[in-house]
Amino acid sequence: MKKLYIFLILSGICLSATGQTMTPEKLWELKRISPIGLTTNGEQVIYSSSSYDINSNTSSAKTFVLSLKGGEPIQVTNYDSIFKDSKVSPSGEYKIFSKEVKIQPVYGDDFYPEMKKSDVYIYDDLNYRHWDTWEDGKYSHVFVKNISTGEEWDIMQGEPHDTPLQPFGGAEDYIWNQDGSKVFYVSKKVKGREYAESTNTDIYAYDLASKTTTNLTDDNEGYDTSPAISKDGTLAWLQMDEPGYEADKNDIIVLRDGHKLNLTKEWDGTVSSFLWAEDGKKLFFIAPIAGTKQLFQVNLPKKASAEIKQITQGQFDITAMVGQSNNTMVVTRTDMNHASEIYTVNLRNGKMDQLSHVNDGFYDTIKLSQIEKRMVPTTDGKEMLTWVIYPPDFDPNKKYPALLYLQGGPQSPLSQFYSFRWNFQLMAANGYIVVAPNRRGMPGHGVAWNEQISGDWGGQNMKDYLSAIDEVSKEDFIDKDRIGAVGASYGGYSVYYLAGHHDNRFKTFIAHDGIFNTRSMYGTTEELFFVNKDMGGPYWQTPSPKAYTEFNPINFVEKWNAPMLIIQGGKDFRVPIGQGLEAFQAAQLRGLKSKLLYFPMENHWILSPQNGIIWQKEFFKWLEETL
């Protein structure tokens, strides 16, 4: 315990015992910042701040302008005069935008026009639904509009392909080149079964004069995304090499003098996002590292290999770059105790200053958690970073129940994020010590660490989970008879798997949208490239991959012996409804205390305020009853 207190003192988080603890209702009182960009003169940042009304189950947003020197933000309703619209061409003549176009018949009355009251979808190929939406025959296309005449045209006319990319792409998927003669855009120009099995997105160049399109990344069959143009017209983008692998190492590629240069090829990490420097001589990027997300820069070399430099360091996440103004980068930042705020970064020395303060008053009234970074030995002789989050007013002479948090992904960083559902601050405020290990499969610890989990879902990473909870449970303040395991998505899979392999470590389980039966998962999920890579392909192979035999949770239900809360979204097509229903039915028929929390209109997440509060209340009610 002496080491723990030394850590807390050095971290500056020995916190006052004044204030209230976090509650589900208070969590939804927090304002949520969305940066828009810097003003044209680079002296101010424009952002929106959203608030939620629980009674009406709605949100509202206000827009503000804030000087980079600090001060009070000014609310604005129109910022066109101080903000350059990147979708307007450099000459001001044209504007690019996207809208949906009906391309293919899907509905009954598409095929049978006289049957206007029919209610039927007709498919003859895969990719009939994606994430939380059924395919309706419409595709998002990029249009060019002549601002003075109003004339507009579809640069993807007749194509059954989307830009922005579905389901999460946005306006960043289509940009102008430096002189407005071309439009660069991202699209995945395959369809049907090939679409479901492929990650082959490409960067395309549309020439306004000839109205022709060229594929700039035809040589790469993995992801090519996030095109960006430098001051002098050099194109850069993010690239993953391996076809069908959505969590492959993400590198920054630049196209210079007709040659492609991989700036981060030799760097043992993966890039989340990047931004050209104002001078066009380097790029800034965000990447996970050691349980956090930090800001880096990479130079644009003339001949030698690129030099990479880490700019920021600390126990926080840099979540987005808003823009550069001389030697200042404007970013958003979170940690496990604080929702997103806007900060400035001194690009010379990495010094950070908080710029926005939308939630300062709220946090002044809330007791914050103590957060410890531990290195835990693993069963194969490595060390694993593990976050331990303590209740406010933690007393080492008391005993506390503990929750092993099982991260989803499976290849997503367990960093200093701030979630409005899986909120460690709220869990700790309810009296639980949260143990959150950076197990195998997480980026930020080298490419090999991240890649290990594919095909080995029930293997080393499960041992990593148990190593973390066993190590922390050696502490006298952990009640070893009151330990639970909770998680979503792959974390939900981990719940179902550990429920049959935990040797009585856990007294209760909570699984949200988890994979319970890998065979039916393969038969109903939509992005088949994911299960092809991570599960090893279809279950009908001979021999069958481990994912469907020794790593399939359904095969070990007879060993389940602890209560389980199962949460499922009705519009989750990634981990479809059958997964949660099968697990709940199995638990009920096994005679275990179990509960199903079903949200018919939610997808893989819980997005509406009232549903979110019910989710939290049921979460903690279950723990109170079973732990």
Side-chain angles (χ1 to χ4, degrees):
M1 277 310 302
K2 186 175 181 181
K3 288 183 180 179
L4 170 60
Y5 280 117
I6 291 173
F7 169 83
L8 295 175
I9 291 169
L10 291 176
S11 299
I13 51 176
C14 282
L15 303 168
S16 168
T18 61
Q20 308 171 52
T21 55
M22 184 66 85
T23 66
E25 292 81 2
K26 287 184 178 299
L27 187 62
W28 282 87
E29 290 178 16
L30 286 169
K31 295 180 173 65
R32 307 189 192 185
I33 277 186
S34 297
I36 295 170
L38 300 187
T39 53
T40 307
N41 60 15
E43 296 178 358
Q44 299 164 303
V45 59
I46 308 170
Y47 67 91
S48 68
S49 176
S50 298
S51 301
Y52 287 80
D53 184 281
I54 302 303
N55 293 328
S56 64
N57 207 33
T58 60
S59 65
S60 60
K62 295 179 180 179
T63 305
F64 297 90
V65 173
L66 178 59
S67 170
L68 299 193
K69 296 179 181 179
E72 291 298 317
I74 301 171
Q75 188 179 344
V76 293
T77 55
N78 189 327
Y79 48 83
D80 289 347
S81 62
I82 58 173
F83 180 71
K84 182 179 179 182
D85 186 349
S86 64
K87 300 310 171 189
V88 174
S89 64
S91 66
E93 185 178 1
Y94 299 104
K95 184 171 184 175
I96 48 176
F97 62 96
S98 67
K99 66 178 180 180
E100 285 196 329
V101 180
K102 181 78 171 184
I103 300 293
Q104 294 178 326
V106 168
Y107 298 135
D109 62 348
D110 291 337
F111 294 93
Y112 305 95
E114 70 278 12
M115 303 294 181
K116 295 299 182 184
K117 295 185 178 180
S118 62
D119 185 14
V120 57
Y121 300 175
I122 302 173
Y123 302 105
D124 60 6
D125 206 344
L126 290 181
N127 192 43
Y128 52 88
R129 63 180 187 174
H130 196 193
W131 195 255
D132 59 4
T133 304
W134 287 87
E135 178 58 61
D136 61 0
K138 295 179 181 179
Y139 294 84
S140 293
H141 282 188
V142 177
F143 284 73
V144 177
K145 180 177 182 178
N146 186 309
I147 295 174
S148 60
T149 67
E151 177 194 6
E152 61 182 50
W153 68 94
D154 181 355
I155 72 173
M156 304 168 65
Q157 187 170 3
E159 296 184 9
H161 311 302
D162 284 299
T163 300
L165 295 174
Q166 298 299 316
F168 304 122
E172 71 280 359
D173 284 348
Y174 52 97
I175 63 171
W176 290 104
N177 69 342
Q178 81 280 11
D179 62 8
S181 63
K182 294 180 180 179
V183 178
F184 296 119
Y185 67 95
V186 184
S187 190
K188 185 175 172 181
K189 294 197 176 183
V190 291
K191 62 179 183 177
R193 172 180 171 178
E194 189 178 1
Y195 185 97
E197 294 181 322
S198 172
T199 59
N200 190 16
T201 62
D202 284 305
I203 311 293
Y204 294 87
Y206 174 82
D207 185 272
L208 265 68
S210 65
K211 295 189 176 181
T212 57
T213 301
T214 304
N215 187 345
L216 301 179
T217 58
D218 192 43
D219 57 327
N220 182 55
E221 296 185 358
Y223 276 125
D224 295 291
T225 61
S226 306
I229 289 287
S230 72
K231 181 180 180 180
D232 65 0
T234 302
L235 177 65
W237 66 89
L238 291 179
Q239 174 180 294
M240 293 186 183
D241 289 337
E242 184 177 336
Y245 184 21
E246 67 169 6
D248 195 12
K249 172 177 164 61
N250 218 9
D251 284 316
I252 300 175
I253 310 297
V254 295
L255 181 63
R256 188 171 59 179
D257 300 326
H259 299 285
K260 296 174 184 176
L261 177 64
N262 188 333
L263 298 183
T264 51
K265 182 178 182 180
E266 304 303 323
W267 181 65
D268 192 20
T270 187
V271 177
S272 299
S273 61
F274 76 95
L275 183 70
W276 275 105
E278 290 176 333
D279 62 10
K281 296 179 181 179
K282 55 183 172 290
L283 301 95
F284 301 102
F285 66 92
I286 296 172
I289 182 169
T292 66
K293 288 185 176 180
Q294 301 296 335
L295 180 65
F296 295 78
Q297 74 175 41
V298 57
N299 68 310
L300 194 60
K302 293 182 178 179
K303 292 183 179 180
S305 60
E307 178 185 355
I308 293 175
K309 172 187 174 184
Q310 183 173 340
I311 298 174
T312 60
Q313 297 188 53
Q315 196 163 296
F316 51 78
D317 277 6
I318 304 294
T319 52
M321 290 175 284
V322 185
Q324 180 191 0
S325 179
N326 298 318
N327 290 311
T328 297
M329 179 66 74
V330 181
V331 302
T332 52
R333 168 178 147 172
T334 65
D335 62 54
M336 290 179 181
N337 271 323
H338 298 90
S340 182
E341 293 278 8
I342 298 174
Y343 282 73
T344 57
V345 180
N346 185 316
L347 292 172
R348 291 193 181 101
N349 57 26
K351 182 178 181 296
M352 300 188 72
D353 291 303
Q354 186 173 344
L355 197 59
S356 71
H357 297 268
V358 299
N359 289 313
D360 280 11
F362 176 89
Y363 284 118
D364 287 343
T365 68
I366 293 291
K367 297 179 181 178
L368 303 183
S369 300
Q370 301 168 354
I371 301 169
E372 176 192 7
K373 179 180 179 179
R374 287 195 179 200
M375 300 306 295
V376 170
T378 62
T379 57
D380 59 346
K382 302 182 186 301
E383 283 200 326
M384 172 178 59
L385 188 152
T386 298
W387 294 114
V388 184
I389 302 94
Y390 294 85
D393 303 329
F394 169 72
D395 182 349
N397 297 311
K398 294 182 179 179
K399 285 194 177 293
Y400 295 85
L403 298 176
L404 175 64
Y405 170 74
L406 310 169
Q407 174 79 338
Q411 299 98 340
S412 61
L414 205 173
S415 55
Q416 283 289 311
F417 62 75
Y418 194 89
S419 169
F420 286 89
R421 186 170 75 257
W422 292 93
N423 188 276
F424 299 139
Q425 185 179 31
L426 180 56
M427 294 179 197
N430 277 268
Y432 301 99
I433 290 176
V434 183
V435 180
N438 275 233
R439 47 111 179 114
R440 238 54 65 99
M442 292 185 184
H445 309 279
V447 172
W449 185 276
N450 184 50
E451 290 181 344
Q452 191 281 332
I453 198 170
S454 295
D456 191 45
W457 277 21
Q460 183 60 49
N461 72 102
M462 291 296 167
K463 298 174 183 176
D464 290 346
Y465 280 141
L466 298 180
S467 293
I469 194 63
D470 288 350
E471 180 69 18
V472 179
S473 295
K474 294 176 183 177
E475 299 285 1
D476 291 338
F477 52 77
I478 297 288
D479 187 339
K480 298 170 185 58
D481 295 324
R482 299 176 65 204
I483 299 175
V486 302
S489 194
Y490 176 81
Y493 162 88
S494 301
V495 164
Y496 296 141
Y497 186 83
L498 287 174
H501 297 83
H502 67 110
D503 294 326
N504 297 317
R505 284 178 174 86
F506 303 112
K507 192 176 180 182
T508 193
F509 293 96
I510 299 177
H512 174 112
D513 285 357
I515 300 167
F516 169 70
N517 180 352
T518 54
R519 289 171 67 96
S520 60
M521 170 70 177
Y522 191 89
T524 53
T525 194
E526 16 78 290
E527 289 188 345
L528 285 169
F529 57 77
F530 171 69
V531 285
N532 281 337
K533 170 65 178 181
D534 265 57
M535 291 185 182
Y539 55 84
W540 53 81
Q541 298 176 77
T542 303
S544 183
K546 289 183 178 181
Y548 307 108
T549 54
E550 62 182 279
F551 294 159
N552 192 351
I554 198 172
N555 292 335
F556 305 97
V557 171
E558 75 279 2
K559 296 182 179 179
W560 285 13
N561 62 0
M564 187 178 293
L565 171 62
I566 294 156
I567 309 170
Q568 181 68 45
K571 295 178 69 177
D572 185 354
F573 301 156
R574 175 60 38 81
V575 182
I577 183 174
Q579 298 297 308
L581 299 187
E582 284 188 60
F584 176 63
Q585 192 147 312
Q588 285 279 305
L589 295 175
R590 288 275 295 125
L592 297 173
K593 178 179 175 64
S594 50
K595 181 186 285 189
L596 174 66
L597 191 57
Y598 174 57
F599 294 92
M601 299 307 293
E602 299 283 6
N603 57 28
H604 205 53
W605 301 305
I606 305 298
L607 300 178
S608 72
Q610 291 190 8
N611 282 349
I613 287 180
I614 291 174
W615 190 100
Q616 299 284 7
K617 287 185 176 295
E618 287 291 326
F619 183 94
F620 292 110
K621 179 181 178 182
W622 181 261
L623 293 177
E624 186 177 336
E625 291 177 358
T626 61
L627 196 59

